[in-house]
Amino acid sequence: MTKNLRDLDFTVPAPCDIAYPAPIRLYVDAQDVARGILQVRQVIPVGSGGPLTLLFPEWLPGYHAPRASIALFAGLRIEVGEKELPWRRHPVQVHAFQVEVPADAEQIVVSFHFLTPTDPSQGRVVVGKEILTIQWNSVLLYPAGYYARQIEFHAFLTVPAGWQHSCAIAAVDRQDDTIRFEPVSLDVLVDSPVFAGRYAARVPLDDQEKVHLSIFADKAELIDISEKKIAPHRAVVEQAGKLFGPAPFDRFEMLLGLSSELGRIGVEHHRSFEAVTVPDYFTDWEGCFSLRETVPHEFIHAWNGKFRRGADSWTPSFDTPIRNSLMWVYEGQTQYWDQVLCARSGLWTADQTLQAIAVTAATHQVRAGSRWRPISDTTRDPIIAARAPLPWPSWQRSEDYYSEGSLVWLDIDTRIRMLSGDTRSLDDFARSFFAADQQGPAQTLTYTLDDVIAALTDLAPFDWGGFLRERIDGKHTGAPLEGIERAGYQLVFWNDPGEFWTNTEKLAGNLNLMFSLGLTVDHDGKVEEVLWQGPAFEAAITAGTNILEAGERPFSVEALRAAVQEAGRSNGRVRLRVTSGTCEREVEVHCPGGLRYPHLTPLEGARPRLLEILSPRA
């Protein structure tokens, strides 16, 4: 007789490095794209009767936080034969479900639905009319008590008729519209998302055809892939190999979605990345150039983040919390290299890259958050805020280990060059620290802060520990600009926005006056962000305020820009009529400098190290 579940002591077993007794079969039906409902069925072998805890993956690599969409999980049913078994959820660990398995059962059948968002207000949309993405962590449960690498899965995916798919896991066969994938461990499965759709193209990016760009789009005409547009993507692969050395993968799928229906994303995986960008990525090639940074960023993570990872960011299973103390290496150095590879590959010109670096430097030069909060503390932000909108991001800080971290790595690169008489650089660190000696689906080699310091010291003897304690753990005012200056440049502000700034404004659909009025505003006049202690802040303007008039004219982007420009030529003040809630008022915002946009200009007589850094490697 089955024991009442209420009498069970519900403790989630800790993961052990032992093999699960037999493979789990997973069947996912993704044909209901009209409603975005994924139907899941699992056949889970059980070795004996008694309590069994099943887990929905919670702590996800690449998100650096517990980002699993458990709220979209519904309809759970667990059966033995034709008998339904009762289950209960853990009262605190809400991703855990417990069932009492009968003593004579050899397997249980688990079924549920994953209800994908049908509107962005519910979460990131992953299913469109002609395109979808499957993250396996959303469509499975796994038995607690085992390392993820010790649980084997046999996965099957059914897609709409006529749709193509791409995944880092090889397809063994396809019968009608059901794809059977090669058996893999749970950690590899969760690390290998699927893109599927009616309109697709797959382009090899290297001579060995190990790396492919797999493109999926809402419409066939969006896949406009001339050689001019594909060539810099090939160059990313080539230049990354020259930078990092041997690849840590046997094959790699760049999964790129071009969609207005799916939510934007960029997430790294060991043998793939998933990225959804604007539908006009190719068809408006020049008009979307500032978005090209995503491809090198996520590809670099194959080396930095997946193969090499901070020791406290690796966990044996998806119910074990991730620690992020070295994210300024994982993400900060990757952001540094992604801009470098944009230039080396031709995705950006050198001048566009200089402008991008100027934006990063200027942003941290005016942000006040570094005065109270060091970079090291921002590594907790994926858990603290999960990228939710913030009222004062320039004061609160938000994952600044990315962008400010990239400036620290420019400082390190130029310091290595200076200390070694320009015979060594961060390129040498990348090749010695990230090069793989094996290729495979999920090899991860962890490192500590001491390992980073030792590798830097081998290149150029210096007190790197003290340097990093100051830069990463210390509080400061302004941006770390020493690397830019050592690279032969200085940060300046002009009234000309430049090509990169103009492109980012166009794609964001806003007017960015952060370095003049201290705010950004959308095309309807709604303020998106206000700089802490900036001019708009002093006028008590906040995010969410609506600008009704600029100067003597009704609000428009052109009217506001003109008013700021005029302020720089006259009394240094901008008159605005604004409304917030039911309160309408007139304010004057102090703006003596007029329009101000960041740029990098060469320092007279200095070695142009930054141009040397951005030059392609032969």
Side-chain angles (χ1 to χ4, degrees):
M1 183 174 179
T2 302
K3 189 175 180 181
N4 193 311
L5 284 175
R6 294 178 183 176
D7 298 330
L8 294 175
D9 181 14
F10 194 163
T11 300
V12 177
C16 297
D17 198 5
I18 57 175
Y20 190 70
I24 295 171
R25 284 174 290 165
L26 169 65
Y27 303 88
V28 179
D29 188 335
Q31 295 179 98
D32 190 357
V33 295
R35 290 174 293 205
I37 297 173
L38 305 179
Q39 299 184 52
V40 180
R41 180 174 174 269
Q42 290 180 253
V43 180
I44 304 178
V46 289
S48 61
L52 173 67
T53 299
L54 299 174
L55 300 173
F56 189 74
E58 179 182 6
W59 290 82
L60 303 178
Y63 289 92
H64 320 310
R67 296 287 293 276
S69 302
I70 188 65
L72 303 175
F73 176 99
L76 176 61
R77 183 180 178 91
I78 304 175
E79 299 171 295
V80 170
E82 297 182 358
K83 179 182 179 182
E84 183 177 359
L85 302 178
W87 56 265
R88 69 168 179 167
R89 190 194 300 261
H90 194 282
V92 177
Q93 295 170 262
V94 295
H95 297 72
F97 303 87
Q98 191 178 72
V99 61
E100 181 78 1
V101 178
D104 58 348
E106 295 182 355
Q107 63 184 31
I108 61 172
V109 176
V110 175
S111 59
F112 63 88
H113 295 106
F114 185 71
L115 308 176
T116 73
T118 56
D119 184 87
S121 65
Q122 303 159 4
R124 190 176 74 86
V125 175
V126 297
V127 176
K129 291 186 292 293
E130 308 290 354
I131 184 176
L132 63 81
T133 69
I134 298 288
Q135 294 177 322
W136 294 106
N137 56 272
S138 298
V139 291
L140 62 82
L141 296 175
Y142 68 95
Y146 301 85
Y147 278 24
R149 67 190 179 201
Q150 293 280 23
I151 307 173
E152 184 175 297
F153 270 76
H154 295 189
F156 300 76
L157 173 65
T158 303
V159 297
W163 281 30
Q164 303 176 58
H165 88 282
S166 188
C167 179
I169 306 172
V172 176
D173 62 36
R174 176 169 179 165
Q175 296 185 9
D176 297 325
D177 299 307
T178 297
I179 305 144
R180 178 165 65 97
F181 294 93
E182 65 180 349
V184 293
S185 58
L186 173 60
D187 59 335
V188 174
L189 182 66
V190 168
D191 197 43
S192 306
V194 180
F195 274 32
R198 192 174 305 280
Y199 309 111
R202 187 168 182 261
V203 184
L205 296 183
D206 64 321
D207 293 339
Q208 295 78 33
E209 298 194 10
K210 288 172 53 178
V211 182
H212 288 83
L213 180 63
S214 293
I215 307 163
F216 292 81
D218 290 339
K219 303 175 183 177
E221 56 266 30
L222 297 175
I223 307 177
D224 178 17
I225 48 174
S226 65
E227 179 57 27
K228 173 187 174 182
K229 300 167 186 177
I230 294 299
H233 295 86
R234 289 198 180 97
V236 167
V237 176
E238 178 187 9
Q239 290 294 320
K242 291 178 178 179
L243 174 62
F244 295 109
F249 49 76
D250 51 357
R251 57 182 179 269
F252 197 95
E253 296 290 330
M254 296 183 178
L255 303 175
L256 181 64
L258 315 176
S259 178
S260 59
E261 293 190 85
L262 304 190
R264 296 271 291 275
I265 193 175
V267 176
E268 67 274 10
H269 301 283
H270 196 100
R271 294 192 295 176
S272 66
F273 67 67
E274 51 184 320
V276 177
T277 187
V278 293
D280 295 329
Y281 180 84
F282 288 114
T283 53
D284 187 15
W285 180 243
E286 298 303 332
C288 298
F289 79 85
S290 62
L291 296 176
R292 299 177 200 162
E293 188 177 3
T294 299
V295 168
H297 185 98
E298 305 305 344
F299 187 57
I300 288 166
H301 273 317
W303 286 269
N304 181 11
K306 302 306 293 185
F307 170 58
R308 296 302 311 271
R309 194 181 312 170
D312 61 3
S313 288
W314 180 89
T315 58
S317 64
F318 303 112
D319 57 312
T320 307
I322 293 170
R323 306 288 191 266
N324 294 320
S325 66
L326 291 167
M327 293 305 294
W328 52 272
V329 183
Y330 184 131
E331 294 289 7
Q333 190 177 156
T334 294
Q335 183 152 324
Y336 174 66
W337 285 129
D338 77 43
Q339 294 186 333
V340 170
L341 285 191
C342 274
R344 291 183 185 179
S345 67
L347 283 173
W348 290 348
T349 65
D351 189 56
Q352 289 168 343
T353 309
L354 292 176
Q355 291 179 44
I357 296 170
V359 171
T360 300
T363 297
H364 290 286
Q365 184 68 0
V366 301
R367 286 190 162 187
S370 60
R371 299 203 302 259
W372 75 275
R373 191 178 183 203
I375 294 177
S376 59
D377 192 59
T378 72
T379 64
R380 277 74 176 178
D381 283 341
I383 301 170
I384 293 170
R387 297 187 179 173
L390 302 173
W392 302 101
S394 58
W395 181 236
Q396 293 166 275
R397 301 254 250 175
S398 180
E399 298 187 49
D400 286 357
Y401 55 83
Y402 276 91
S403 52
E404 190 174 336
S406 72
L407 297 176
V408 171
W409 284 104
L410 174 58
D411 190 343
I412 293 171
D413 192 352
T414 56
R415 193 175 295 270
I416 291 171
R417 290 167 186 264
M418 181 194 69
L419 291 170
S420 67
D422 288 289
T423 61
R424 293 188 172 185
S425 70
L426 199 64
D427 288 55
D428 298 293
F429 173 90
R431 192 170 184 90
S432 64
F433 201 75
F434 296 112
D437 57 2
Q438 296 183 38
Q439 296 179 342
Q443 181 191 19
T444 298
L445 182 62
T446 62
Y447 59 84
T448 64
L449 175 60
D450 287 343
D451 295 326
V452 175
I453 293 171
L456 291 171
T457 303
D458 285 345
L459 286 174
F462 180 68
D463 181 16
W464 292 109
F467 170 86
L468 291 172
R469 281 191 294 275
E470 177 186 351
R471 292 293 192 276
I472 303 301
D473 295 327
K475 295 176 284 189
H476 56 271
T477 298
L481 300 179
E482 294 90 337
I484 290 174
E485 293 163 1
R486 203 178 294 112
Y489 284 80
Q490 62 182 338
L491 176 65
V492 298
F493 292 89
W494 297 339
N495 62 10
D496 174 16
E499 182 183 12
F500 188 88
W501 187 277
T502 301
N503 190 250
T504 58
E505 280 189 332
K506 168 197 163 185
L507 294 170
N510 65 17
L511 176 64
N512 189 337
L513 299 169
M514 193 58 67
F515 305 111
S516 49
L517 281 186
L519 58 77
T520 61
V521 58
D522 70 17
H523 289 182
D524 295 323
K526 184 176 182 178
V527 175
E528 297 177 333
E529 182 184 345
V530 174
L531 179 68
W532 184 264
Q533 296 180 336
F537 176 96
E538 298 300 334
I541 295 173
T542 64
T545 297
N546 287 285
I547 302 176
L548 305 177
E549 294 179 2
E552 302 299 325
R553 299 166 57 188
F555 173 82
S556 68
V557 165
E558 294 75 17
L560 182 55
R561 185 185 289 115
V564 174
Q565 189 173 31
E566 177 60 28
R569 294 194 293 256
S570 57
N571 65 358
R573 292 189 176 275
V574 176
R575 187 192 70 80
L576 300 176
R577 180 166 290 279
V578 301
T579 180
S580 180
T582 60
C583 178
E584 183 175 319
R585 61 195 175 97
E586 187 173 299
V587 298
E588 276 196 337
V589 184
H590 188 59
C591 186
L595 294 171
R596 299 176 75 245
Y597 300 100
H599 295 269
L600 298 184
T601 59
L603 284 168
E604 186 176 355
R607 178 168 179 154
R609 288 190 176 100
L610 194 46
L611 290 183
E612 296 170 9
I613 291 169
L614 300 181
S615 298
R617 295 306 180 246

